[in-house]
Amino acid sequence: MNDKVHLGHTAKKRFGQNFLHDTYVIDQIVASINPRKGENLIEIGPGLGALTEPVAACLDKMTVVELDRDLAERLEQHPVLSKKLDIHQADAMRFDFNQLIKPNMKMRIFGNLPYNISTPLMFHLFQFHENIQDMHFMLQKEVVQRLAANHNTKSYGRLTVMTQYYCKVTPVLEVGPEAFRPAPKVDSAVVRLEPHTVLPHPAKNLKVLNLVVRNAFNQRRKTIRNSLKKVISVDDIAALGINVSLRPENLTLENYVTIANFVTDNPMQAAD
Ligand code: SAM
């Protein structure tokens, strides 16, 4: 059997198409999303509708953003879904999600994301965090481990810090390759991301926080005394009450924001 053909559609690798077909897994995901009538549900990459159909069954209307023109057209022709879906044939990475905001109804976004774009897509979505209630995503299992990591662990990195800056992270479910057609080479997992209503550690300047975190983790094995020397002096780190001999994975989100806010107020003269 050609495992690339599912429900008459040949999976396109460039769009990261691995279609869910395991009904137990699909039911578990829908139960964890728990869609309710009247809510503003938005699916990224509905594909052949494996998640769309059961989610739409709980709702009168929902929105989908699908890049593949063939799949978007299929959904437009779908006997049941076409009436319920507001279909945007578009690239979710460039999509302005603000256009989907409804009065007094935050967005609930979900999707079995194409793994090749999952990280930049999440960063794109974080821009809309104030208007998002929650997000449920199927991702590569390793990525979910990184999102949910605690400091002092190997999985803790830039993705952890920047995600936890915006969201509470809860791993929901692990999923093996056999749940998809074609089967991916990696294990997968579903994660729930709930944007904080009030950021617990707000940065004065997000670009600076990004710069500090990137510098630190670009040289994972170095102590922050070395990896951050272009942005902050050793004495200033120490004065903030942070041990300069720590490595990037030992610093908490709060530590990073403390350093970034100091750097925002006291930028170093440009160094090479
Ligand atoms: N939701 C379906 C399922 O679970 O079976 C399909 C999941 S498949 C892993 C990813 C889906 O995202 C595909 O339908 C693909 O065409 C779509 N996609 C890929 N890149 C996209 C993008 N940049 N914006 C929106 N959709 C995209």
Side-chain angles (χ1 to χ4, degrees), residues 6 12 14-21 43-52 65-68 71 90-93 111-117 121 180:
H6 184 49
K12 295 173 188 153
R14 69 181 184 284
F15 291 152
Q17 293 179 351
N18 299 93
F19 300 104
L20 267 172
H21 70 94
E43 181 177 7
I44 297 176
L48 294 161
L51 295 171
T52 328
V65 181
E66 171 59 62
L67 179 58
D68 185 333
L71 292 178
D91 180 352
M93 298 251 274
N112 169 14
L113 298 186
Y115 294 165
N116 51 342
I117 59 158
L121 181 54
F180 304 85

Side-chain angles (χ1 to χ4, degrees), residues 13 24 34 37-38 51 58 66 69 79 83 95 103 115 120 135 155 157 165-166 174-175 178 186 219 222 252 263 272:
K13 206 172 170 191
Y24 173 77
N34 190 20
K37 267 205 169 82
L51 295 171
C58 307
E66 171 59 62
R69 202 179 290 271
K83 295 182 197 76
F95 192 78
Y115 294 165
M135 298 177 268
S155 299
Y165 176 81
Y166 291 107
E174 293 192 359
V175 183
E178 62 287 347
V186 293
Q219 306 179 64
K222 289 195 177 173
T252 62
V263 173
D272 59 354

Side-chain angles (χ1 to χ4, degrees), residues 108-148:
R108 302 195 66 207
I109 302 178
F110 69 98
N112 169 14
L113 298 186
Y115 294 165
N116 51 342
I117 59 158
S118 64
T119 301
L121 181 54
M122 283 189 287
F123 277 98
H124 176 65
L125 288 166
F126 292 157
Q127 293 177 71
F128 308 99
H129 68 104
E130 286 173 357
N131 292 304
I132 298 175
Q133 181 181 325
D134 57 23
M135 298 177 268
H136 290 81
F137 292 135
M138 174 86 76
L139 303 166
Q140 203 172 322
K141 183 173 149 190
E142 192 211 355
V143 175
V144 171
Q145 285 166 345
R146 284 162 57 200
L147 295 177

